[in-house]
Structures are given as C-alpha cells and as structure tokens.
C-alpha cells in the first residue's frame, strides 16, 4: 500500500469488504469503477475503458457511468448476473477540504444490489415476483427448510420439506437469487436444485445458525422480544429465516430488513410439480426461456402488475384441496356470469398502480413522488371496485373477503390520505423527491410563498418598493449589489429626514454616497435572505411535505397492503373470467374422486397459435379413472408422428393445472378428482452439464415418476425407451407400463411407437388404447388430429421424414427397406436381416438372434465338459496353462 494514493486506498478498502461485487465508487457526478471491476463492467455495458494514474507501477483501468442515469446501467449489470456495491460520498466535499488539502471525502457502501434484493421499477420485472430464497438443511439432512423474501413487496415466508422435494419447491418459487451456507452449497440437493433453476447458489458466510442463535438474530433484526410472536417455528425454519433476513440486512449495509413478519407457508395442499414436468409443460416459460408461448402468457388477461404476479403464483402452485379450488372457481364464475361487474371492475383497475411495491419503496426510503401517486390511484380504484361488486344473492366467499378489505380502504384516515394526495400531486411527476416540483400550486401556502420568491423575485421587490414609497412619500428604489444585497436607495437630499424619528426607527442607514443614501430594514434583510435561499427552501418544504405523506402512509401500511392484496385477487378472478369468455371455456367440476373426464378439450396455447393462422384446433375427449369404475386408468396413445399425440398429452396435463389453479378450462365439459402430483416425461434433451445423456435424463425422470406417483397422481409419458436399443427400450417401456398399472395405480397417458405395448390391454385389465388417425389421400398423408378408441396400425414415420425434407432418394430407399422388413413380419428371423445390404457382410449367428432354435455344437459341448470338470482351486499354474491349451485345441477342431 506504500505506492497507493489515498483515493485508491479508500477504494481498495471498500472493495475488500465486497470482493464478489462490482464497486460503484461515487466521485462527483459519476460512479467510477477501477481495476478488474472496470474491465468487467466495460465489457458488460459496452462503454469505454480508460485509465487513471498508476498503482504499483501499473496503469489503473477505469470506466464510469453518470450518477443520474445509474439505474439503467445497474439494470444491465444485474441482468448479466453481477452484484453491485454502491459506495456513496457520505459528506460534503467542502467539509473534507477543511480537514486539510490532502483530505478526501469519506465514502461508504450504502447498499449491495443483487438480483434478489432490488426494488426499483427500472430494475424489476413488473409482472413477475422477484424472490430471494435461502435453503438450510436440518441436522439429520432429511428435513430442509426454504425461506424466501420478495424485498419489493415485503413478502417473507418459510416452510420445511423433505430433502427430495427441495428442487420442486424451489421450482415453484422461481427465485431470482438462491443463497445457502458455505458448506451447504456443495450438497447434492442444492446443486441439483440450482441446476434445474439455472442458478448457482450464492455461498453466505454465516455464524452457527442453531435455533438459539437464529432466534437471537431475528429478534435483533425485527426488534422483538421473542420470535413466538411470529409463530412456532422449528430450528431448521429459524435457520433459513435468519439466513435470508441476515443477507437482506447485509445488502442494505446493515439496515433493518423492511420485511413483513415471517409466516409459515403450508407445505401441503398444493399440486406437486417437479422441475422437469414444469419445464416440459411450459407453464410460465417455454423450453427456450421465453414468456410468449407459455401457458401463463396465453391466459394472462390481468390489468395490474400485482394481479399478473398473483396469477403467475397460482399457476406455479395449483391447489390440491377441493374446497379451496371451488372457492376460486366460484369467484371466476361470478365474473363470467356478471359481464357488467367484470367490465366495471376491470375498468377501475386501470387506475390501480402497483400499490404493494410503492409502499415497500417508501418504507425503504427509496420511493418518490410517483409512489405517492400510486397510493392515491390505488385507493381510488379500491373504492370504485368495491362499489362495483354488487350481487342480490351475495358475493362468493373469496370476493366477499376482498370486498371487505377494499371497503376498509374507505375508512376516514385512508380517505383523507387519498384526497390530500390527489390535491397535492401534479400530473407530471419526477422520479425522485429531491428533484422537486411535484406539489402543485395552491396546496401549501408556505410553499407557494417560497416559490414566489424564487420565481418572481422582481415582482416581490417591486411591491415592497411601492409600499415603502407610499408609507413615507419618499422616492425609494430597491437595488441589489454583492456587498449590501437588497437595499433602499433615495436622493441625498432626503438623508436628514431618514435619520430623524420616526423614519430612523424603521430604516437602518447603511451607506452614504455623493448623490444618494442607502438604507435597509429588517423586513428587507429577511427578504434578501429568503430570496437568496428561496430555491433551497422551496425544495426543503416539498421534501417536508413528502416525508409527511410517507409517514401517514407507513402508519396505515397494514391496511394499504390488505387493499393491495384484494385488488390483485379481484384482478386475477376478473381476468380469468375474461379469458374464459374469450375462449368459450367451461367451469371444471373438481371433487375428491379419481376420475378424469374431458369432453371436447383443447390445448390453450396450441389453439391460440392455430387460430392465429386462421385454422381450427381439433378438440378431443379423454376418460381415465384410477378407481377403474368408469374407465381405464392407463391409456396407451399411438398414431403417426405429427398426428397430435404430444399435444394431447400436454393438453390433459394443462387442464389439471388450470382447474386446480382456479381457472376455467378450454373444453365442452371437464370433471376430475384433484391430483396431488403431476408428472410429465415428454420430449428428449440431454443434460451434458450435469453429466447426463439424453437417455440417462429420460431414465432419471422415469424413475422419479415410478417411485413417487401415488393413486392421486396424474402422469403423462411420451416415447419411453426410445433412446436405447430397440429391445432394451421396448423392455423398459413395457415394465414401466406394468409398474404404473399394477403398483402406482394412477391416472396415466402413455404415448408410444412400440405397437407391441398396445397388446397389453389384454393382460392389464385397467389399461386401454387410444390412437390418433391419419388417412392417405391421393398419395399424401392427411392427419386428422382426432383421438379414437383402439391402437394405431402404422406410424407413417417415412412420410413425416419426407415432409421434413429428406432427399427423395433416401425416402425411396427407406420405403424399399420397410417393405422388405414388413414382408418378413416381426418374426422373420435372420433371413429378413441377411437380405438387406447393410447386414449382408456380417451374418449373425443363429444362436445369438433368438429368432430360431440353434443346433447343438459338438465342439462347444466338449469345451463345456472340460470347464465343468475343472476345479479352479486345485489347479497349479502349470495345470491351468495346460487347460487353456486344451480348450483352444477343442475350439479349433469345431
């Protein structure tokens, strides 16, 4: 450090505290970055990399961004996966100079910006939650706890789960950032979960987080006497909560976390969906990571950002409780039947900004005038929406609860707050309160007066000059210079009168010139001071009004959050009703049975794409019954490629997701007993980064299904066993089908090209067949996209290959080979293989084919006799060598 300048020493000291973050080092109007931080930021932001001085004989790389535009640069860095420590100037540079010429401004990190701890609108995705999740294992490693927080809304919750369920629980939460203790990050459960989410767990250095120390940390952070006030949390849950709360506090540079009291989220009552199933069904994102084309994007008709986030949560974690599901469906049905109420509520929601995030930003002291406006707009929307919810027969339970919360927004304190905010705020509001200009004229007389001084000083001075002239009948003129400031000047001939009472008692003699005399008054001196500081005083007054509004809002925080939750729920129910009317969707009948009966069902996403091309989607029926009273519980789905098998599988799985999330479904009718687990093994993709080939990934997912599916599970399987040799694959598919039928006894759809499996309906009493039909017409294959009872007769794979663009010569040859194979049938034996050019050069020994019985071989029989007669334990080295020679000679004599 002997060659380090004071500024660089300060930078390096702060950087050492945050080695894993880029350090935004405030220098005047810019945030500067140095050394490796500068190189990384310049690449990520595509900005110029310069240099500033030297450190230990080497040039110091440097880049910078303007402080006023820092949020946009932060957004790019956060999306690129960086953390950013913001190091601000903590004092006025003028004060630093008073300490000495070489003194530098004191700086300190005030915040660490990470993907899971952002709150600014420009950094957040408005219609998606922004969660930070912390994972902690229990002492035995069998039970884990997952705590999560959304800093932008104040959400803070925890629940425990078995180690095997960590991945699916995290997949449902979809956190932006995942943290764990340093030793826990390397555990298989967390590495697997992180890989499924595309996140690397951030190791957090933590003290021993047993129940006692975790409870102490939470008490300190929330300033409470006992965590019993929050609930009876287990030791592992307290550890996870303390991990998250401590990390949030660290990112706020030691500030207390502005989180709601932690709650225990129920670990039951949800439809369990593992990460592989969630990805293959494309519930919230497509396999390519895009929102467009996913189920959520297809059904989302929400008006507000908070409503969009709630809808995403409901689709991510559908219910597995009949009563709770039907309560949601009752609310949607109310809006389906009540068009006037639906349109009115949706119209009022247009004015409801993101109330929850606005309140949270104000609580964190990161809010601005636009957040005040959001509060006012949301309160107005709450009152209007409550008035629109009317029903002669009463409201469904969920809507009644929401209406009660909305009506509480009309209590006097909230109503007065809404009125005052509406009166005070202008139309064009700045982002930051420090920019001023957000309080409109006429709201605060003191502010108006100060602004008048700032903006109309000449008019104020002229009015004062006229008043003095009228009072004294003397020709005063108000003038200004840098020495006296504002002062009164009049001809020298009036000096004697000014120096005698009563004028001398009010006017203070300041200066005498050859032709004029100058005077001042306490009022003029005060005016001079006020005009000089009018700009600062106007801003200070606006800031005081802003802080007053913030204080009132935080005093009513719980009521505002309740109103925000009610508005979001209304938005979701009305939006799902809007989508249901658009798509002619029906209300599902969800009960406790084991039935699954869909009539005229459609895939919502595929139908949307088909309709966009002015085509028609072909609906299909499906009947499954795990109890076996009304239908089969296992259906084999066969038919040509491109006929619609995979669409059919996903379609029925998505009906379960939609119905149990509380939405209507695209079908003529739908009746189902709720599912507790949903499994999908569809598509083929490798996981090379995790050391898994395509077939290995397929088998891992299939193993999970066979081990975890109970009678209430709903399973879709597509092309099990196609990633290995034909007979191996057939054997695996066969055994998996039998296991599903005999052991799991769940509702399952099993698509396959192994037509041999279709014969299992004779040996598996609760198995059946369904096939997708195709017809050949004028030399072309026409896919009907219709499911019918019974197995398919052909797969038409060569026709699909032709459509895909295979050269005609290859297509013709494939048809010739297929004809030869079909001519010999499935049991054609070696003759069918030998007749093909590919195998003619390598005859297959009959004994190895298994297609026909081989003749006894005398030479092999002699070898077998010698081996059977030998006693390996009694053979000497020489005897063993002699036996090897005799065996060789016997084989040569064959």
């Amino acid at each position: 450090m002997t060659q380090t300048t004071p500024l660089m020493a300060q930078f390096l000291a702060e950087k050492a505290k945050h080695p894993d973050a880029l350090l935004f080092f405030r220098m005047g109007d810019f945030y500067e970055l140095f050394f490796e931080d500068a190189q990384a930021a310049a690449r990520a932001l595509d900005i110029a990399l310069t240099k500033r001085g030297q450190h230990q004989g080497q040039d110091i790389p440097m880049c910078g961004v303007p402080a006023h535009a820092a949020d946009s640069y932060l957004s790019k860095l956060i999306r690129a996966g960086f953390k950013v420590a913001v190091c601000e100037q903590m004092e006025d540079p003028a004060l630093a100079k008073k300490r000495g010429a070489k003194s530098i401004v004191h700086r300190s990190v005030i915040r660490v910006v990470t993907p899971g701890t952002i709150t600014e609108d420009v950094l957040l995705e408005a219609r998606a939650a922004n969660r930070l999740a912390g994972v902690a294992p229990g002492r035995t490693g069998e039970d884990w706890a997952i705590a999560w927080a959304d800093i932008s809304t104040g959400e803070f919750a925890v629940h425990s789960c078995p180690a095997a369920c960590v991945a699916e629980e995290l997949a449902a939460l979809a956190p932006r950032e995942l943290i764990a203790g340093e030793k826990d990050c390397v555990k298989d459960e967390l590495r697997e979960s992180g890989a499924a989410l595309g996140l690397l767990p951030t190791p957090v250095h933590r003290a021993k987080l047993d129940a006692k120390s975790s409870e102490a940390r939470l008490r300190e952070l929330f300033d409470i006497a006992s965590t019993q006030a929050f609930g009876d949390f287990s030791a592992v849950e307290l550890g996870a909560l303390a991990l998250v709360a401590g990390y949030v506090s660290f990112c706020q540079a030691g500030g207390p976390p502005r989180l709601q009291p932690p709650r225990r989220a129920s670990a039951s009552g949800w439809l369990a969906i593992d990460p592989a199933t969630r990805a293959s069904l494309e519930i919230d994102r497509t396999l390519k990571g895009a929102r467009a084309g996913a189920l959520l994007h297809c059904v989302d008709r929400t008006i507000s950002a908070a409503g969009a986030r709630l809808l995403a949560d409901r689709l991510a974690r559908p219910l597995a409780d009949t009563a709770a599901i039907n309560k949601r469906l009752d609310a949607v049905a109310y809006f389906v039947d009540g068009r006037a109420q639906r349109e009115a509520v949706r119209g009022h929601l247009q004015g409801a900004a993101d109330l929850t995030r606005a309140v949270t930003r104000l609580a964190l002291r990161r809010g601005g005038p636009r957040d005040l406006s959001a509060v006012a707009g949301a309160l107005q929307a709450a009152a209007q929406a409550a008035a629109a919810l009317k029903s002669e027969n009463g409201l469904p339970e969920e809507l009644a609860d929401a209406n009660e919360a909305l009506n509480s927004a009309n209590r006097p304190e909230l109503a007065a707050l809404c009125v005052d905010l509406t009166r005070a705020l202008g139309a064009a509001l700045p982002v930051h309160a420090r920019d001023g200009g957000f309080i409109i004229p006429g709201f605060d007389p003191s502010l108006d007066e100060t602004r008048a001084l700032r903006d109309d000083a000449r008019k104020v001075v002229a009015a004062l000059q006229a008043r003095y002239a009228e009072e004294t009948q003397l020709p005063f003129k108000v003038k200004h210079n840098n020495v006296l400031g504002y002062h009164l000047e009049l001809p020298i001939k009036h000096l004697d009168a000014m120096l005698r009472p009563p004028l001398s008692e009010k006017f203070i003699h300041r200066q005498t010139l050859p032709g004029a005399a100058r005077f001042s008054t306490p009022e003029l001196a005060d005016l001079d001071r006020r005009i000089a500081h009018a700009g600062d005083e106007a801003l200070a007054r606006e800031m005081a009004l802003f802080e007053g509004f913030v204080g009132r809002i935080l005093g009513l925080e719980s009521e505002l959050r309740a109103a925000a939750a009610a508005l979001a729920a209304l938005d979701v129910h009305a939006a799902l009703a809007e989508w249901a009317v658009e798509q002619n969707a029906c209300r599902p009948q969800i009960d406790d049975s084991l039935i699954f009966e869909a009539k005229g069902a459609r895939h919502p996403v595929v139908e949307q794409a088909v309709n966009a091309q002015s085509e028609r989607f072909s609906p299909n029926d499906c009947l499954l019954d795990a109890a076996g009273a009304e239908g089969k519980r296992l259906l084999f789905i066969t038919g040509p490629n491109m006929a619609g098998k995979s669409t059919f599988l996903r379609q029925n799985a998505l009906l379960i997701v939609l119905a149990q999330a509380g939405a209507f479904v695209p079908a003529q009718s739908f009746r189902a007993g709720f599912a507790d687990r949903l499994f999908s093994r569809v598509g083929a993709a490798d996981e090379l980064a995790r050391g898994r080939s395509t077939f290995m990934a397929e088998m891992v997912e299939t193993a999970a299904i066979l081990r975890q599916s109970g009678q209430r599970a709903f399973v879709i399987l597509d092309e099990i066993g196609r990633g290995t040799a034909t007979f191996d694959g057939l054997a695996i598919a066969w055994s998996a089908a039998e296991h599903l039928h005999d052991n799991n006894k769940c509702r399952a759809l099993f698509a396959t090209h192994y037509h041999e499996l279709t014969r299992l309906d004779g040996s598996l009493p609760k198995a059946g067949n369904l096939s997708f039909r195709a017809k050949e017409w004028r030399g072309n294959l026409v896919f009907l996209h219709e499911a019918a009872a019974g197995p398919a007769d052909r797969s038409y794979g060569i026709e699909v290959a032709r459509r895909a663009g295979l050269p005609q010569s290859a297509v013709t040859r494939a048809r010739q080979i297929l004809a030869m194979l079909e001519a010999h049938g499935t049991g054609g034996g070696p003759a069918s293989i030998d007749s093909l050019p590919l195998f003619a050069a390598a005859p297959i020994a009959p004994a190895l084919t298994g297609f026909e019985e081989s003749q006894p071989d005398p030479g092999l029989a002699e070898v077998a006799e010698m081996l059977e007669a030998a006693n390996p334990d009694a053979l000497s080295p020489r005897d063993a060598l002699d036996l090897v020679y005799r065996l060789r000679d016997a084989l040569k004599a064959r």
Side-chain angles (χ1 to χ4, degrees):
M1 298 290 286
T2 56
Q3 300 178 13
T4 304
T5 65
L7 184 70
M8 281 297 103
Q10 188 182 60
F11 172 86
L12 292 171
E14 292 298 320
K15 175 65 180 175
K17 299 175 186 176
H18 305 277
D20 60 342
L22 301 180
L23 188 65
F24 265 35
F25 194 72
R26 183 68 176 264
M27 295 177 65
D29 293 333
F30 282 79
Y31 287 112
E32 305 288 3
L33 299 97
F34 301 102
F35 301 103
E36 293 84 356
D37 285 3
Q39 294 169 334
R43 286 192 299 269
L45 299 174
D46 193 22
I47 59 178
L49 181 67
T50 60
K51 59 184 178 181
R52 176 193 174 100
Q54 289 192 331
H55 175 68
Q56 298 181 349
Q58 300 292 323
D59 290 337
I60 300 174
M62 182 185 81
C63 71
V65 301
H68 72 273
D71 283 352
S72 62
Y73 293 100
L74 276 174
S75 177
K76 292 180 181 178
L77 291 172
I78 294 301
R79 289 192 174 97
F82 292 99
K83 298 179 183 177
V84 180
V86 180
C87 186
E88 284 287 358
Q89 295 179 172
M90 306 304 290
E91 63 177 339
D92 191 322
L95 296 177
K97 288 183 179 180
K98 292 181 180 179
R99 296 198 303 269
K102 295 185 177 180
S103 297
I104 62 172
V105 175
H106 175 61
R107 294 177 176 86
S108 181
V109 171
I110 63 166
R111 179 185 173 198
V112 180
V113 185
T114 72
T117 60
I118 54 181
T119 56
E120 292 79 359
D121 265 345
V122 294
L123 305 180
L124 288 167
E125 192 171 346
R127 300 178 72 82
N130 197 84
R131 295 191 178 101
L132 162 73
V135 183
R139 287 186 176 181
T140 64
E142 296 179 0
D143 291 328
W144 289 55
I146 302 173
W148 65 92
D150 188 334
I151 313 303
S152 69
T153 63
E155 177 190 23
F156 192 29
V158 67
H159 72 69
S160 56
C161 64
C165 296
V166 170
E168 70 184 37
E169 293 293 338
L170 286 174
L173 289 170
R176 287 289 310 281
E177 189 174 1
L178 181 61
I179 62 172
E182 292 171 318
K183 295 181 180 179
D184 301 330
C185 285
V186 298
K187 294 186 176 180
D188 291 340
E189 293 87 349
L190 204 53
R191 287 192 298 104
E192 292 286 321
S193 302
L197 292 167
L199 291 175
L200 287 175
T202 298
V204 176
H205 177 69
R206 59 175 189 159
K208 184 180 180 183
L209 288 181
D210 54 20
K212 186 175 181 179
S213 58
S214 298
E215 185 175 2
R217 174 175 289 188
L218 290 169
R219 288 200 311 267
E220 179 184 355
L221 290 174
F222 286 93
D223 192 23
I224 55 173
S226 170
T227 57
Q228 292 293 322
F230 296 149
D232 186 16
F233 295 111
S234 66
V236 66
E237 288 173 332
L238 286 172
L241 287 169
L243 181 71
V244 171
Y247 185 75
V248 172
S249 179
F250 165 77
C251 291
Q252 295 178 185
R258 290 294 305 194
L259 298 171
Q260 295 299 295
R263 63 179 176 85
R264 177 186 283 114
S266 173
S268 60
W270 308 100
L271 173 63
I273 307 174
D274 64 27
T277 299
R278 192 175 298 277
S280 71
L281 293 179
E282 300 180 310
I283 295 173
D284 59 343
R285 292 185 184 273
T286 66
L287 291 173
K288 294 182 178 180
R291 287 192 174 275
L295 177 67
L296 174 60
H297 183 267
C298 173
V299 304
D300 189 359
R301 299 294 185 274
T302 54
I303 300 293
S304 67
R309 294 195 298 270
L310 180 59
L311 176 60
D313 285 345
R314 291 189 174 185
L315 287 178
R317 298 200 77 181
L319 298 171
D321 180 279
T322 301
I325 293 168
N326 281 298
K327 285 180 183 178
R328 289 184 181 178
L329 292 172
D330 289 342
V332 176
Y334 169 86
F335 284 119
V336 169
D337 297 335
R339 177 179 176 181
Q341 288 89 343
R342 182 177 78 248
E343 291 179 349
V345 166
R346 286 173 61 80
H348 298 319
L349 287 171
Q350 296 282 356
D354 203 334
L355 177 57
T356 307
R357 283 184 171 175
V359 171
T360 300
R361 278 192 294 272
L362 292 170
L364 288 168
R365 302 298 171 182
R366 298 176 191 166
R370 294 179 185 179
D371 294 310
L372 298 183
S373 179
V375 172
L379 287 174
Q380 289 177 341
Q384 293 166 341
L389 288 175
K390 297 178 180 177
S391 177
E392 295 179 359
N393 301 321
L395 293 171
E397 185 174 342
E398 289 230 343
L399 294 184
D401 292 342
N403 195 38
E404 183 178 350
L406 294 179
N407 282 320
S408 70
N410 289 325
R411 56 183 288 190
E413 300 95 326
L414 286 168
L417 174 64
C418 181
V419 169
D420 289 345
L421 286 171
T422 304
R423 286 181 49 237
L425 299 174
L429 298 174
V431 175
H432 304 291
R434 63 174 180 264
D435 296 331
F438 53 90
I439 301 294
I440 62 176
F443 177 75
D444 184 73
S446 176
L447 176 61
D448 292 342
E449 183 180 349
T450 307
R451 282 176 173 170
L453 286 174
R454 181 195 65 190
D455 301 332
D456 301 317
R458 287 186 179 181
K459 292 181 181 179
V460 174
V461 169
L464 187 62
Q465 174 182 301
R467 180 160 60 85
Y468 283 155
E470 183 179 354
E471 290 175 358
T472 62
Q473 296 299 310
L474 295 175
F476 281 118
K477 288 186 178 180
V478 178
K479 292 190 176 182
H480 182 276
N481 63 36
N482 292 333
V483 177
L484 298 180
Y486 282 100
H487 57 275
L488 298 167
E489 186 175 289
L490 76 169
I492 192 65
K493 65 180 180 180
H494 301 292
L495 178 60
D496 290 341
M498 293 292 296
L499 295 177
R500 293 194 303 269
L503 295 179
S504 62
E505 296 175 357
K506 181 175 183 179
F507 296 93
I508 304 167
H509 181 231
R510 299 296 303 276
Q511 193 175 37
T512 302
L513 300 176
R518 291 174 174 173
F519 292 83
S520 182
T521 67
E523 183 181 17
L524 188 58
D526 182 61
L527 178 62
D528 185 18
R529 181 189 59 78
R530 289 166 60 200
I531 290 175
H533 299 89
D536 292 339
E537 289 182 2
L539 180 58
R541 180 56 186 163
E542 278 198 275
M543 290 298 295
L545 291 171
F546 176 81
E547 291 299 330
F549 281 129
V550 170
R552 292 172 66 182
I553 288 169
L554 296 185
L556 298 165
E557 184 175 356
S558 60
E559 292 87 346
L560 289 170
R561 290 187 180 277
L567 286 171
L570 275 186
D571 193 7
V572 169
H573 295 313
L576 288 174
E578 185 78 8
W579 178 77
V581 172
E582 285 180 16
Q583 303 301 315
N584 193 28
C586 72
R587 174 173 178 160
Q589 301 176 47
I590 303 299
D591 53 36
D592 295 332
S593 70
L594 294 171
I595 200 75
F596 179 96
E597 184 179 17
K599 294 182 179 179
R602 311 178 312 271
H603 190 299
V605 181
V606 176
E607 182 181 33
Q608 185 181 68
V610 167
N611 290 345
Q613 299 174 5
S614 300
E615 298 180 6
R616 177 182 173 274
F617 185 90
S618 298
N620 281 292
D621 301 344
C622 182
L623 175 61
L624 291 166
D625 185 4
E630 298 185 35
K632 307 293 186 179
R633 61 172 172 254
L634 171 64
L635 286 180
F636 294 106
I637 314 299
T638 52
N641 286 301
M642 295 179 62
K645 298 191 302 299
S646 294
T647 298
F648 180 75
L649 295 182
R650 289 185 172 94
Q651 166 184 305
N652 289 294
L654 291 180
L655 293 182
I656 290 287
V657 172
L658 285 170
Q660 294 190 206
F664 281 28
V665 298
Q668 292 176 3
S669 66
F670 180 64
R671 178 169 68 104
F674 75 90
D676 63 355
R677 299 191 70 92
L678 180 63
F679 286 106
S680 168
R681 168 54 247 174
V682 178
D686 57 42
E687 298 177 358
L688 298 181
R690 299 166 71 183
R692 295 176 180 173
S693 65
T694 302
F695 182 63
M696 183 61 176
E698 175 188 325
M699 289 298 100
V700 168
E701 293 173 16
T702 304
I705 293 171
L706 298 184
R707 287 181 177 275
Q708 298 177 33
S709 297
Q711 193 175 23
R712 233 171 228 295
F714 190 88
V715 175
I716 60 172
L717 294 163
D718 192 11
E719 303 300 343
I720 294 298
R722 298 294 289 182
T724 186
T726 301
F727 292 135
D728 282 355
L730 176 58
I732 292 169
W734 191 319
S735 65
E738 288 182 343
H739 197 283
L740 282 170
H741 181 276
D742 298 336
N743 297 77
N744 304 109
K745 298 181 179 179
C746 57
R747 293 163 288 183
L749 299 174
F750 196 124
T752 183
H753 278 294
Y754 291 128
H755 286 217
E756 293 83 354
L757 297 183
T758 62
R759 302 171 190 169
L760 291 177
D761 64 346
S763 58
L764 302 178
K766 301 303 179 183
N769 285 294
L770 204 65
S771 61
F772 279 79
R773 304 302 189 187
K775 289 186 177 181
E776 293 185 77
W777 186 69
R778 295 184 179 179
N780 291 314
L781 187 65
V782 178
F783 297 115
L784 302 180
H785 302 295
E786 294 177 356
D793 56 348
R794 298 175 60 187
S795 292
Y796 299 97
I798 295 176
E799 174 60 20
V800 175
R802 182 192 67 79
R803 292 189 179 192
L806 250 64
Q808 185 58 44
S809 59
V811 172
T812 301
R813 183 57 180 149
R815 285 175 173 156
Q816 292 173 353
I817 296 171
L818 178 62
M820 285 188 286
L821 289 172
E822 289 179 340
H824 292 284
T826 58
S832 63
I833 297 296
D834 291 344
S835 63
L836 302 179
L838 178 63
F839 300 99
I844 299 177
L848 301 180
T849 65
F851 288 111
E852 64 183 22
E853 188 175 348
S854 60
Q855 298 296 321
D857 187 324
L860 292 178
E862 182 181 356
V863 169
E865 289 176 2
M866 284 191 286
L867 287 172
E868 188 173 356
N871 183 0
D873 294 332
L875 291 175
S876 67
R878 180 59 184 269
D879 293 338
L881 184 60
D882 289 341
L883 177 61
V884 170
Y885 280 109
R886 290 200 304 275
L887 291 171
R888 185 193 65 178
D889 292 339
L891 289 173
K892 284 183 177 180
R894 289 179 60 206

